[in-house]
Amino acid sequence: MRTSRSTRRILIVGFGDIGERVAKYLRAAQGVSLSALVRNVDAARHAKSLGVRTFRGDLSRPRSLQQLAGAADVIFHFAPPPAEGVRDLHTRNLLAALSLPAQRKSMRAGMLSQPSPRGIQAMPQRLVYISTTGVYGDCGGEWIDETRELNPQTDRARRRVDAERSLRMWGRRNRVAVSVLRAPGIYAAERLPLERLRKGTPALRAEDDVFTNHIHADDLARAAIAAMRRGKPGRIYNAVDDSAMTMGAYFDCVAEAHGLRPPPRISRAQAKATLSPALVSFMSESRRIRNVRLKRELRFVFRYAAVEDFLLEISVSSMKQADTA
């Protein structure tokens, strides 16, 4: 598909839930050409049904990514790191592929007697990456902002730190405006812990509970677009809403909105003895995160400023459906 010089070419790497929401917000915009990196035929077919052209490739296979060189003016990088290790090789492979135009330009400068290769495009102008607030580690429930020293306590979080640092260094070196959004627990109608509640998985008792942070999937997609438009080069933004809830309170609110029983409460010692290590790890980090920079610099206004706003909307909608049934 050919595009005019005035068309802004946008590539979404990691075309999952948030990627699809970004595409839906942007596809009606004037002067925008949307594409996505996908791994298989089914994913390509789905993307095309949403009006998004596709590139076939795999972030774990560097050679399959060479076609991305010069393919976009803006990159949304939403792909997760590999499942193991402390380095994000997916991000490193992506950046190597995006750097090919600069490498070719350097080669061309060293071969002045040779004609200029055709089809060499510029580097992207912007890249927006969604990271995680897990890079902060356990903060003991303190209020923190983007200046907080990083303290990743799992390999999963360490991979995100590696990705952030690789991206920001690459951005400075290549004069690409890289913006990083650190996102907490993402929720939406189809992304609520309903199965956990139905199973009766326990939550921590109040004296042992941890503070968690949240953002609705639509708001995270909109925050990514705001970062594309207004993000400062190399800048970190906490993409969290205004909620300041403990994990147990969050589960209680979701249960009440859906007519389910609240989870039983147990002590931290009981949790360590009865729950999986992964779940205990999830229940071991407590922090309350400020979003002043998101609001001030990106001029972001939440659709759902707090989890309760969304759950109230669900409750009201359910009541209206019951009244008309």
Side-chain angles (χ1 to χ4, degrees):
M1 181 175 68
R2 295 183 177 181
T3 58
S4 68
R5 290 186 178 181
S6 61
T7 300
R8 198 173 201 188
R9 301 165 303 151
I10 296 176
L11 171 65
I12 301 172
V13 177
F15 196 62
D17 181 32
I18 304 303
E20 288 187 24
R21 291 173 193 261
V22 166
K24 289 175 182 177
Y25 278 119
L26 289 178
R27 66 184 176 186
Q30 295 293 322
V32 168
S33 171
L34 291 172
S35 60
L37 178 69
V38 298
R39 288 192 295 179
N40 55 56
V41 173
D42 290 340
R45 187 178 297 115
H46 177 65
K48 289 175 182 177
S49 73
L50 299 176
V52 178
R53 64 181 296 227
T54 60
F55 294 94
R56 290 281 300 278
D58 188 327
L59 290 174
S60 64
R61 297 170 50 233
R63 287 190 178 182
S64 72
L65 306 176
Q66 293 181 7
Q67 62 189 315
L68 302 182
D73 306 305
V74 176
I75 309 286
F76 285 108
H77 178 16
F78 302 153
E84 298 178 343
V86 296
R87 296 196 305 167
D88 183 356
L89 298 181
H90 290 172
T91 291
R92 290 170 181 252
N93 290 340
L94 173 64
L95 296 182
L98 297 177
S99 300
L100 285 176
Q103 296 171 11
R104 291 170 180 167
K105 182 177 179 181
S106 177
M107 292 174 59
R108 184 178 63 188
M111 293 184 276
L112 297 179
S113 60
Q114 300 294 324
S116 298
R118 299 183 63 185
I120 294 178
Q121 305 288 338
M123 296 285 283
Q125 301 162 2
R126 284 191 167 272
L127 187 149
V128 177
Y129 175 64
I130 294 182
S131 182
T132 172
T133 54
V135 298
Y136 295 119
D138 181 30
C139 301
E142 293 180 11
W143 281 102
I144 64 170
D145 61 18
E146 292 87 351
T147 65
R148 178 81 175 201
E149 184 177 355
L150 301 187
N151 183 30
Q153 297 176 352
T154 65
D155 284 351
R156 181 176 63 252
R158 293 183 187 100
R159 291 190 288 271
R160 293 292 189 173
V161 171
D162 179 71
E164 288 187 13
R165 289 174 176 166
S166 298
L167 286 160
R168 296 172 78 191
M169 288 175 59
W170 175 84
R172 287 194 296 270
R173 185 168 59 248
N174 294 286
R175 297 183 180 180
V176 178
V178 172
S179 298
V180 175
L181 301 178
R182 288 177 179 157
I186 305 168
Y187 72 93
E190 65 279 11
R191 298 182 68 158
L192 294 172
L194 300 180
E195 189 60 28
R196 173 183 174 135
L197 290 168
R198 293 188 181 107
K199 289 181 178 178
T201 303
L204 291 173
R205 61 186 184 181
E207 55 266 43
D208 290 329
D209 212 350
V210 296
F211 283 98
T212 57
N213 304 272
H214 307 271
I215 189 168
H216 191 280
D218 274 343
D219 278 331
L220 182 54
R222 293 173 55 246
I225 294 171
M228 175 191 74
R229 292 171 174 161
R230 305 186 186 98
K232 295 182 179 180
R235 197 68 156 163
I236 303 290
Y237 298 94
N238 288 332
V240 303
D241 66 19
D242 295 333
S243 300
M245 307 176 73
T246 60
M247 186 179 294
Y250 170 64
F251 292 145
D252 287 349
C253 286
V254 174
E256 182 178 2
H258 288 81
L260 300 171
R261 288 185 178 182
R265 299 302 185 99
I266 60 176
S267 69
R268 182 167 297 280
Q270 289 173 309
K272 290 180 179 179
T274 59
L275 301 180
S276 70
L279 189 53
V280 172
S281 174
F282 175 64
M283 303 164 74
S284 298
E285 297 183 6
S286 182
R287 50 190 172 258
R288 287 176 285 181
I289 301 178
R290 294 189 174 94
N291 57 18
V292 175
R293 186 180 288 179
L294 180 79
K295 294 178 179 178
R296 183 174 296 166
E297 293 186 8
L298 302 187
R299 303 199 294 274
F300 188 75
V301 178
F302 287 97
R303 179 180 177 189
Y304 301 107
V307 174
E308 294 95 331
D309 297 337
F310 174 72
L311 295 176
L312 177 60
E313 182 177 281
I314 287 181
S315 297
V316 171
S317 177
S318 297
M319 290 174 61
K320 288 182 178 179
Q321 291 178 5
D323 289 341
T324 58

